[in-house]
């Protein structure tokens, strides 16, 4: 099939490369010419394991191409995917739809033959209606349809998530569109993925409901971890035992810092905002947002307490600063709250991350990037394992730090505490 992906950010680039790998002709479009030129040379703008190889292979075999000529890409394609960003608006919590709606306008000017427009961007329920309205101003409804196909890709695991999805959700009441989209996804359906055809609005809501529910699970376990710390119980045991109940499920029950990234914080805010517009109170999701904000404050206090509230000139080392492992993404990472806070309190901070230096900290006093783990740890009063990179799972801290007495705060519970605890090393985990 002939597809184009409008927007080569995370969703568009990963999905485009994966669709081409399934044998489709895919054109990835972006208005950023520099990005397009780099992609043509095999330079990938994001860190995603396996993506570079996938892009290069399919580009070489001419199934994947890159352009900034959006009109030509739409004309050449039967299915047009909208994959642009929907960030939180600056002045309120709603999703900024300006990019989606301006793409809809451009599409409306370029439809001359049958096309299926598929929205993959995360959009509030009823956005598909708006897109359809914009296009139908210029184009006869008989030659186009607008469907919703939310993505459930996790950063760092996106290629695997694309190829082995738990479910594929297609929101359309148009029989032809449903048939074509089902056949597009048939290689994944035949490997066992469930295909769900629902209304367009239903599909839009499924995406937000899923992210909000996962955020709820995380906040739930994070709050329980607080109780574990007070009662000397282990949150890991609780998560495992709870998760074995199939009605609950074991995934997304790992306690840690406040959840972050480009999706959960943004999408929980947006669904509450949408519900407000429809005069519906999503009190549970509101509490989750609050709970996550409180968690950030709670961990700042916990770090201060470990340092006995004497922060000035204390050397703090952060191992990992991204919002989770296997990504270079810093968006809403809890480290972006912690490092500035302790820098302002007079601490000396070094950080190491496998994805390198971060601009986010460049304006803060006494914050240094270390190019390796030893350099980051040496001399530290407190080593914080902030992100669960494999690189940090079996470190010998005594060898890495020449300081006699120091603490390790393992915010992801990746270390076996009994192995770390030594006379001179104080170990702190989450909910343990
Ligand atoms: C999330 C969803 O998992 C994807 O299904 C969805 O497609 C994506 O958002 C999106 O809407 O585009 P992602 O933001 O890449 O994916 O990251 P997650 O792996 O879900 O992690 C989000 C946050 O939750 C991270 O801060 C992570 O550390 C935290 N988390 C996750 C926990 O604290 N505990 C867990 O058990 C799992």
């Amino acid at each position: 099939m002939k597809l184009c992906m409008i927007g080569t950010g995370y969703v568009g680039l990963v999905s485009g490369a994966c669709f081409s790998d399934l044998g489709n002709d895919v054109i990835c479009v972006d208005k950023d010419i520099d990005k397009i030129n780099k992609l043509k040379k095999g330079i990938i703008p994001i860190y995603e394991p396996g993506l570079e190889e996938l892009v290069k292979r399919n580009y070489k075999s001419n199934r994947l191409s890159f352009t900034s000529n959006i009109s030509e890409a739409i004309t050449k394609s039967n299915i047009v995917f909208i994959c642009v960003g929907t960030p939180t608006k600056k002045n309120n919590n709603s999703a900024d739809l300006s990019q989606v709606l301006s793409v809809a306008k451009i599409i409306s000017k370029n439809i001359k033959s049958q096309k299926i427009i598929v929205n993959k961007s995360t959009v509030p329920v009823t956005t598909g209606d708006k897109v359809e309205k914009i296009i139908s101003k210029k184009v006869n409804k008989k030659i186009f349809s607008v469907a919703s196909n939310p993505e459930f890709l996790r950063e760092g695991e996106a290629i695997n998530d694309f190829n082995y999805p738990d479910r594929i959700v297609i929101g359309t009441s148009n029989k032809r569109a449903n048939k074509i989209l089902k056949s597009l996804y048939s290689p994944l359906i035949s490997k066992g993925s469930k295909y769900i055809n629902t209304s367009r609005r239903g599909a839009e809501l499924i995406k937000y409901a899923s992210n909000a529910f996962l955020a709820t699970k995380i906040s739930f376990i994070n709050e329980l971890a607080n109780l574990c710390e007070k009662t000397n119980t282990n949150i890991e045991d609780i998560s495992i035992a709870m998760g074995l109940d199939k009605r609950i499920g074991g995934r997304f029950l790992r306690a840690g810092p406040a959840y972050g990234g480009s999706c959960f914080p943004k999408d929980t805010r947006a669904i509450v905002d949408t519900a407000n517009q429809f005069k519906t109170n999503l009190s549970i999701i509101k509490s989750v947002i609050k709970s996550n904000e409180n968690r950030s404050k709670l961990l700042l206090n916990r770090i201060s307490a470990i340092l006995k509230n004497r922060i000035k000139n204390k050397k703090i080392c952060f191992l990992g600063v991204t919002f989770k492992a296997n990504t270079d993404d810093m968006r809403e990472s809890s480290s972006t709250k912690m490092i500035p806070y302790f820098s302002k309190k007079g601490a000396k901070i070094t950080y190491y991350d496998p994805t390198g230096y971060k601009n986010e900290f460049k304006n803060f006093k006494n914050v240094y990037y270390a190019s390796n783990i030893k350099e980051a740890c040496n001399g530290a009063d407190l080593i914080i394992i902030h992100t669960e990179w494999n690189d940090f799972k079996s470190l010998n801290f005594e060898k890495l730090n020449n300081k006699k007495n120091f603490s390790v705060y393992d915010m992801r519970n990746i270390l076996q505490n009994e192995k770390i605890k030594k006379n001179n090393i104080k170990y702190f985990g989450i909910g343990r």
Side-chain angles (χ1 to χ4, degrees):
M1 282 187 217
K2 292 190 186 309
L3 329 173
C4 77
M5 319 300 292
I6 303 180
T8 53
Y10 203 81
V11 177
L13 185 58
V14 171
S15 311
C18 289
F19 275 133
S20 68
D21 208 45
L22 294 177
N24 300 288
D25 290 330
V26 182
I27 310 172
C28 286
V29 192
D30 207 290
K31 59 182 178 190
D32 183 341
I33 297 172
D34 186 44
K35 198 189 218 182
I36 290 296
N37 287 337
K38 282 188 175 147
L39 282 165
K40 284 180 181 169
K41 288 183 198 145
I43 303 168
I44 311 295
I46 49 170
Y47 177 94
E48 180 62 39
L51 186 59
E52 184 177 325
E53 193 237 305
L54 194 73
V55 167
K56 282 184 175 163
R57 177 152 43 86
N58 286 286
Y59 183 68
K60 247 189 178 171
S61 61
N62 290 327
R63 280 194 300 266
L64 183 63
S65 59
F66 300 99
T67 182
S68 38
N69 188 336
I70 186 165
S71 310
E72 197 180 290
I74 296 168
T75 310
K76 284 185 178 166
S77 308
N78 315 114
I79 310 176
V80 177
F81 282 90
I82 302 176
C83 308
V84 293
T86 53
T88 306
K89 271 191 186 161
K90 290 224 164 69
N91 47 353
N92 60 38
N93 282 335
S94 63
D96 180 353
L97 293 177
S98 55
Q99 294 183 61
V100 172
L101 301 180
S102 88
V103 166
K105 271 190 196 142
I106 300 173
I107 293 174
S108 74
K109 291 178 194 152
N110 289 285
I111 299 187
K112 284 162 198 99
S113 59
Q114 282 284 350
K115 304 243 181 273
I116 303 171
I117 319 302
V118 186
N119 191 27
K120 247 191 187 303
S121 301
T122 300
V123 290
V125 56
T126 71
T127 302
D129 305 9
K130 291 181 184 140
V131 170
E132 187 178 87
K133 202 170 164 196
I134 290 173
I135 301 177
S136 62
K137 279 188 186 153
K138 292 237 182 297
V139 188
N140 187 326
K141 272 194 178 169
K142 283 190 186 137
I143 67 163
F144 81 95
S145 62
V146 177
S148 165
N149 171 215
E151 58 83 19
F152 302 104
L153 310 176
R154 283 166 304 164
E155 291 188 16
E157 333 245 352
I159 293 168
N160 195 54
D161 284 351
F162 183 95
N163 286 316
Y164 300 95
D166 291 335
R167 76 299 204 193
I168 295 149
V169 176
I170 298 292
T172 179
S173 51
N174 181 303
K175 285 203 176 105
R176 178 179 175 272
N178 184 38
K179 199 172 155 206
I180 292 173
L181 291 172
K182 192 169 185 184
S183 118
L184 174 68
Y185 278 108
S186 61
L188 309 185
I189 299 166
S190 63
K191 280 191 289 183
S193 298
K194 290 261 184 313
Y195 181 86
I196 305 215
N197 175 220
T198 178
S199 66
R200 189 169 61 206
R201 290 182 178 188
E204 290 170 338
L205 206 45
I206 285 167
K207 167 70 187 191
Y208 280 101
S210 302
N211 274 2
F213 191 77
L214 291 171
T216 305
K217 263 185 119 173
I218 298 167
S219 293
F220 180 92
I221 209 71
N222 280 343
E223 287 196 356
L224 267 185
N226 298 339
L227 182 59
C228 287
E229 284 170 19
K230 300 268 168 65
T231 55
N232 204 15
T233 40
N234 190 338
I235 193 66
E236 302 292 310
D237 297 344
I238 314 260
S239 295
I240 291 168
M242 272 177 71
L244 287 172
D245 184 330
K246 288 196 180 65
R247 294 169 301 174
I248 298 172
R251 294 168 75 190
F252 281 68
L253 278 182
R254 262 184 302 110
Y259 63 72
S262 64
C263 306
F264 288 175
K266 161 178 92 75
D267 294 348
T268 43
R269 288 193 291 261
I271 193 174
V272 166
D273 180 84
T274 306
N276 286 344
Q277 287 173 33
F278 287 93
K279 305 220 176 331
T280 305
N281 182 15
L282 295 182
S283 66
I284 294 176
I285 307 178
K286 281 184 193 163
S287 306
V288 168
I289 296 169
K290 192 86 209 131
S291 167
N292 203 48
E293 285 166 5
N294 289 344
R295 182 140 198 90
S296 294
K297 290 178 205 145
L298 190 133
L299 291 202
L300 294 178
N301 290 340
R302 181 101 166 107
I303 297 171
S304 302
I306 291 172
L307 292 171
K308 303 204 166 54
N309 291 315
R310 279 184 234 120
I311 315 293
K312 202 162 170 45
N313 291 327
K314 283 277 155 53
K315 194 176 167 204
I316 308 177
C317 154
F318 277 79
L319 293 180
V321 286
T322 53
F323 83 95
K324 64 171 188 175
N326 297 321
T327 178
D328 59 354
D329 202 335
M330 290 294 290
R331 283 175 286 178
E332 306 227 21
S333 174
S334 51
S335 70
T336 60
K337 294 215 169 72
M338 292 172 185
I339 291 181
Y341 178 87
F342 288 105
S343 149
K344 282 178 196 151
K345 295 253 170 203
K348 295 197 162 72
I349 296 164
T350 44
Y351 71 92
Y352 166 78
D353 192 279
T355 59
Y357 173 83
K358 303 293 170 197
N359 275 326
E360 281 74 5
F361 306 126
K362 74 172 179 222
N363 294 328
F364 292 98
K365 227 174 149 186
N366 290 329
V367 178
Y368 311 99
Y369 167 68
S371 58
N372 60 63
I373 298 175
K374 187 166 176 33
E375 192 191 323
C377 292
N378 208 5
D381 297 290
L382 169 64
I383 296 171
I384 295 176
I385 301 179
H386 174 271
T387 313
E388 69 280 24
W389 289 93
N390 279 342
D391 316 40
F392 309 144
K393 286 183 178 161
S394 44
L395 297 176
N396 182 340
F397 290 102
E398 275 182 318
K399 280 198 177 150
L400 292 168
N401 193 356
N402 65 5
K403 193 109 195 175
K404 274 221 167 102
N405 295 297
F406 61 96
S407 303
V408 172
Y409 189 8
D410 175 9
M411 288 188 177
R412 304 285 182 163
N413 289 346
I414 60 174
L415 307 174
Q416 285 168 287
N417 50 357
E418 62 282 0
K419 277 198 187 163
I420 302 297
K421 266 185 201 159
K422 307 250 166 73
N423 289 338
N424 60 334
I425 306 180
K426 277 199 183 120
Y427 173 87
F428 301 87
I430 297 272
R432 297 169 142 181

